PDB file of all heavy atoms in Angstrom:
ATOM      1  N   LEU B1048     -11.104  14.645   1.306  1.00 90.00           N
ATOM      2  CA  LEU B1048     -11.006  14.226   2.700  1.00 90.00           C
ATOM      3  C   LEU B1048     -10.050  15.073   3.533  1.00 90.00           C
ATOM      4  O   LEU B1048     -10.150  15.095   4.751  1.00 90.00           O
ATOM      5  CB  LEU B1048     -10.555  12.760   2.760  1.00 90.00           C
ATOM      6  CG  LEU B1048     -11.537  11.767   2.160  1.00 90.00           C
ATOM      7  CD1 LEU B1048     -10.896  10.398   2.019  1.00 90.00           C
ATOM      8  CD2 LEU B1048     -12.783  11.659   3.007  1.00 90.00           C
ATOM      9  N   THR B1049      -9.095  15.722   2.877  1.00 87.00           N
ATOM     10  CA  THR B1049      -8.120  16.529   3.621  1.00 87.00           C
ATOM     11  C   THR B1049      -7.834  17.820   2.867  1.00 87.00           C
ATOM     12  O   THR B1049      -8.145  17.936   1.680  1.00 87.00           O
ATOM     13  CB  THR B1049      -6.782  15.790   3.799  1.00 87.00           C
ATOM     14  OG1 THR B1049      -6.184  15.652   2.498  1.00 87.00           O
ATOM     15  CG2 THR B1049      -6.945  14.429   4.426  1.00 87.00           C
ATOM     16  N   ASP B1050      -7.193  18.744   3.522  1.00 88.00           N
ATOM     17  CA  ASP B1050      -6.741  19.959   2.858  1.00 88.00           C
ATOM     18  C   ASP B1050      -5.622  19.601   1.884  1.00 88.00           C
ATOM     19  O   ASP B1050      -4.971  18.582   2.020  1.00 88.00           O
ATOM     20  CB  ASP B1050      -6.190  20.947   3.900  1.00 88.00           C
ATOM     21  CG  ASP B1050      -7.304  21.578   4.699  1.00 88.00           C
ATOM     22  OD1 ASP B1050      -8.458  21.552   4.230  1.00 88.00           O
ATOM     23  OD2 ASP B1050      -7.034  22.068   5.809  1.00 88.00           O
ATOM     24  N   GLY B1051      -5.408  20.482   0.917  1.00 93.00           N
ATOM     25  CA  GLY B1051      -4.267  20.343   0.022  1.00 93.00           C
ATOM     26  C   GLY B1051      -4.547  19.532  -1.219  1.00 93.00           C
ATOM     27  O   GLY B1051      -3.694  19.400  -2.083  1.00 93.00           O
ATOM     28  N   ALA B1052      -5.754  18.949  -1.327  1.00 94.00           N
ATOM     29  CA  ALA B1052      -6.102  18.184  -2.522  1.00 94.00           C
ATOM     30  C   ALA B1052      -6.855  19.094  -3.487  1.00 94.00           C
ATOM     31  O   ALA B1052      -7.456  20.079  -3.096  1.00 94.00           O
ATOM     32  CB  ALA B1052      -6.972  16.984  -2.147  1.00 94.00           C
ATOM     33  N   ARG B1053      -6.791  18.733  -4.771  1.00 95.00           N
ATOM     34  CA  ARG B1053      -7.409  19.576  -5.779  1.00 95.00           C
ATOM     35  C   ARG B1053      -8.197  18.740  -6.783  1.00 95.00           C
ATOM     36  O   ARG B1053      -7.746  17.691  -7.225  1.00 95.00           O
ATOM     37  CB  ARG B1053      -6.323  20.369  -6.503  1.00 95.00           C
ATOM     38  CG  ARG B1053      -6.847  21.270  -7.594  1.00 95.00           C
ATOM     39  CD  ARG B1053      -5.707  21.848  -8.452  1.00 95.00           C
ATOM     40  NE  ARG B1053      -6.287  22.365  -9.688  1.00 95.00           N
ATOM     41  CZ  ARG B1053      -6.457  23.670  -9.910  1.00 95.00           C
ATOM     42  NH1 ARG B1053      -6.038  24.559  -9.065  1.00 95.00           N
ATOM     43  NH2 ARG B1053      -7.030  24.052 -11.039  1.00 95.00           N
ATOM     44  N   VAL B1054      -9.377  19.238  -7.141  1.00 96.00           N
ATOM     45  CA  VAL B1054     -10.224  18.572  -8.130  1.00 96.00           C
ATOM     46  C   VAL B1054     -10.511  19.541  -9.260  1.00 96.00           C
ATOM     47  O   VAL B1054     -10.849  20.696  -9.018  1.00 96.00           O
ATOM     48  CB  VAL B1054     -11.586  18.180  -7.514  1.00 96.00           C
ATOM     49  CG1 VAL B1054     -12.489  17.537  -8.576  1.00 96.00           C
ATOM     50  CG2 VAL B1054     -11.423  17.259  -6.325  1.00 96.00           C
ATOM     51  N   ASP B1055     -10.372  19.065 -10.482  1.00 96.00           N
ATOM     52  CA  ASP B1055     -10.893  19.801 -11.623  1.00 96.00           C
ATOM     53  C   ASP B1055     -11.909  18.919 -12.308  1.00 96.00           C
ATOM     54  O   ASP B1055     -11.590  17.820 -12.772  1.00 96.00           O
ATOM     55  CB  ASP B1055      -9.766  20.181 -12.597  1.00 96.00           C
ATOM     56  CG  ASP B1055      -8.836  21.213 -11.996  1.00 96.00           C
ATOM     57  OD1 ASP B1055      -9.254  22.374 -11.907  1.00 96.00           O
ATOM     58  OD2 ASP B1055      -7.710  20.859 -11.588  1.00 96.00           O
ATOM     59  N   SER B1056     -13.146  19.371 -12.337  1.00 96.00           N
ATOM     60  CA  SER B1056     -14.223  18.562 -12.888  1.00 96.00           C
ATOM     61  C   SER B1056     -14.969  19.370 -13.936  1.00 96.00           C
ATOM     62  O   SER B1056     -15.500  20.427 -13.632  1.00 96.00           O
ATOM     63  CB  SER B1056     -15.181  18.155 -11.748  1.00 96.00           C
ATOM     64  OG  SER B1056     -16.291  17.462 -12.275  1.00 96.00           O
ATOM     65  N   VAL B1057     -14.952  18.875 -15.168  1.00 94.00           N
ATOM     66  CA  VAL B1057     -15.530  19.647 -16.264  1.00 94.00           C
ATOM     67  C   VAL B1057     -16.480  18.783 -17.088  1.00 94.00           C
ATOM     68  O   VAL B1057     -16.055  18.058 -17.986  1.00 94.00           O
ATOM     69  CB  VAL B1057     -14.425  20.226 -17.179  1.00 94.00           C
ATOM     70  CG1 VAL B1057     -15.050  21.173 -18.204  1.00 94.00           C
ATOM     71  CG2 VAL B1057     -13.336  20.915 -16.383  1.00 94.00           C
ATOM     72  N   PRO B1058     -17.783  18.814 -16.803  1.00 93.00           N
ATOM     73  CA  PRO B1058     -18.729  18.123 -17.656  1.00 93.00           C
ATOM     74  C   PRO B1058     -19.092  19.016 -18.837  1.00 93.00           C
ATOM     75  O   PRO B1058     -19.156  20.235 -18.701  1.00 93.00           O
ATOM     76  CB  PRO B1058     -19.945  17.921 -16.737  1.00 93.00           C
ATOM     77  CG  PRO B1058     -19.863  19.030 -15.733  1.00 93.00           C
ATOM     78  CD  PRO B1058     -18.414  19.454 -15.635  1.00 93.00           C
ATOM     79  N   ASN B1059     -19.287  18.395 -19.976  1.00 93.00           N
ATOM     80  CA  ASN B1059     -19.556  19.185 -21.172  1.00 93.00           C
ATOM     81  C   ASN B1059     -20.486  18.399 -22.087  1.00 93.00           C
ATOM     82  O   ASN B1059     -20.172  17.296 -22.491  1.00 93.00           O
ATOM     83  CB  ASN B1059     -18.223  19.478 -21.875  1.00 93.00           C
ATOM     84  CG  ASN B1059     -18.418  20.245 -23.165  1.00 93.00           C
ATOM     85  OD1 ASN B1059     -19.184  21.197 -23.203  1.00 93.00           O
ATOM     86  ND2 ASN B1059     -17.732  19.825 -24.214  1.00 93.00           N
ATOM     87  N   LEU B1060     -21.615  18.964 -22.360  1.00 93.00           N
ATOM     88  CA  LEU B1060     -22.628  18.288 -23.164  1.00 93.00           C
ATOM     89  C   LEU B1060     -22.934  19.134 -24.382  1.00 93.00           C
ATOM     90  O   LEU B1060     -23.248  20.309 -24.241  1.00 93.00           O
ATOM     91  CB  LEU B1060     -23.873  18.094 -22.289  1.00 93.00           C
ATOM     92  CG  LEU B1060     -25.139  17.500 -22.869  1.00 93.00           C
ATOM     93  CD1 LEU B1060     -24.885  16.123 -23.457  1.00 93.00           C
ATOM     94  CD2 LEU B1060     -26.188  17.412 -21.778  1.00 93.00           C
ATOM     95  N   GLU B1061     -22.805  18.525 -25.558  1.00 94.00           N
ATOM     96  CA  GLU B1061     -23.102  19.269 -26.785  1.00 94.00           C
ATOM     97  C   GLU B1061     -24.238  18.594 -27.527  1.00 94.00           C
ATOM     98  O   GLU B1061     -24.188  17.394 -27.782  1.00 94.00           O
ATOM     99  CB  GLU B1061     -21.874  19.312 -27.689  1.00 94.00           C
ATOM    100  CG  GLU B1061     -20.819  20.236 -27.146  1.00 94.00           C
ATOM    101  CD  GLU B1061     -19.666  20.375 -28.102  1.00 94.00           C
ATOM    102  OE1 GLU B1061     -19.820  19.967 -29.282  1.00 94.00           O
ATOM    103  OE2 GLU B1061     -18.619  20.849 -27.671  1.00 94.00           O
ATOM    104  N   ILE B1062     -25.218  19.369 -27.865  1.00 94.00           N
ATOM    105  CA  ILE B1062     -26.426  18.806 -28.449  1.00 94.00           C
ATOM    106  C   ILE B1062     -26.669  19.436 -29.816  1.00 94.00           C
ATOM    107  O   ILE B1062     -26.818  20.646 -29.923  1.00 94.00           O
ATOM    108  CB  ILE B1062     -27.640  19.087 -27.530  1.00 94.00           C
ATOM    109  CG1 ILE B1062     -27.370  18.552 -26.125  1.00 94.00           C
ATOM    110  CG2 ILE B1062     -28.886  18.453 -28.107  1.00 94.00           C
ATOM    111  CD1 ILE B1062     -28.476  18.860 -25.130  1.00 94.00           C
ATOM    112  N   GLU B1063     -26.691  18.573 -30.835  1.00 93.00           N
ATOM    113  CA  GLU B1063     -26.937  19.101 -32.178  1.00 93.00           C
ATOM    114  C   GLU B1063     -28.331  18.760 -32.679  1.00 93.00           C
ATOM    115  O   GLU B1063     -28.688  19.064 -33.805  1.00 93.00           O
ATOM    116  CB  GLU B1063     -25.865  18.581 -33.152  1.00 93.00           C
ATOM    117  CG  GLU B1063     -24.496  19.171 -32.839  1.00 93.00           C
ATOM    118  CD  GLU B1063     -23.379  18.531 -33.638  1.00 93.00           C
ATOM    119  OE1 GLU B1063     -23.657  17.723 -34.543  1.00 93.00           O
ATOM    120  OE2 GLU B1063     -22.208  18.830 -33.335  1.00 93.00           O
TER     121      GLU B1063
END
Side-chain angles (χ1 to χ4, degrees):
Chain B
L1048 296 169
T1049 66
D1050 287 339
R1053 179 190 164 104
V1054 178
D1055 291 286
S1056 176
V1057 187
N1059 177 44
L1060 176 58
E1061 288 185 14
I1062 304 176
E1063 292 171 8

